[in-house]
Amino acid sequence: ASGAATVKVTLDRALSSVTGVVRSTGTTPLPGVTIVATNGDASLATLSTDPSGAFRLDNLFAGWWTFTFSLTGYADNVVLVQVTTVDQDLGTVTMRLSS
């Protein structure tokens, strides 16, 4: 009643990012790879890798996500990732030419 109270609040991070690079089996960067991430409840908008094959998906909730990488002439690569509240680097995702 006589003034403002001080409250200390700690907020836990709820969203994180996943990064990586997509390459062919010969280690050539693959630009334009379509990436779709789903977790059963949400599906992120389609994203494409940049000219160096790099990608970054932001605003992912913690939990299991399925990442599907697609590019014409290559077999789809599906990766299951357990996303935490810490940003993650998947490193290199390799795609093989389709038969």
Side-chain angles (χ1 to χ4, degrees), residues 3-69:
T6 301
V7 177
K8 183 176 180 179
V9 176
T10 302
L11 300 175
D12 290 330
R13 184 175 176 183
L15 303 174
S16 63
S17 300
V18 173
T19 59
V21 176
V22 181
R23 300 185 186 277
S24 70
T25 54
T27 68
T28 302
L30 292 176
V33 173
T34 300
I35 305 166
V36 176
T38 59
N39 73 352
D41 294 325
S43 181
L44 291 182
T46 303
L47 173 80
S48 295
T49 54
D50 70 13
S52 67
F55 67 91
R56 178 183 180 93
L57 287 102
D58 293 313
N59 302 320
L60 299 170
F61 290 99
W64 287 98
W65 287 79
T66 301
F67 289 73
T68 303
F69 299 83

Side-chain angles (χ1 to χ4, degrees), residues 56-92:
R56 178 183 180 93
L57 287 102
D58 293 313
N59 302 320
L60 299 170
F61 290 99
W64 287 98
W65 287 79
T66 301
F67 289 73
T68 303
F69 299 83
S70 303
L71 182 65
T72 301
Y74 288 82
D76 286 357
N77 189 348
V78 179
V79 178
L80 183 62
V81 178
Q82 185 175 16
V83 174
T84 65
T85 56
V86 177
D87 292 346
Q88 293 175 282
D89 182 359
L90 295 182
T92 300

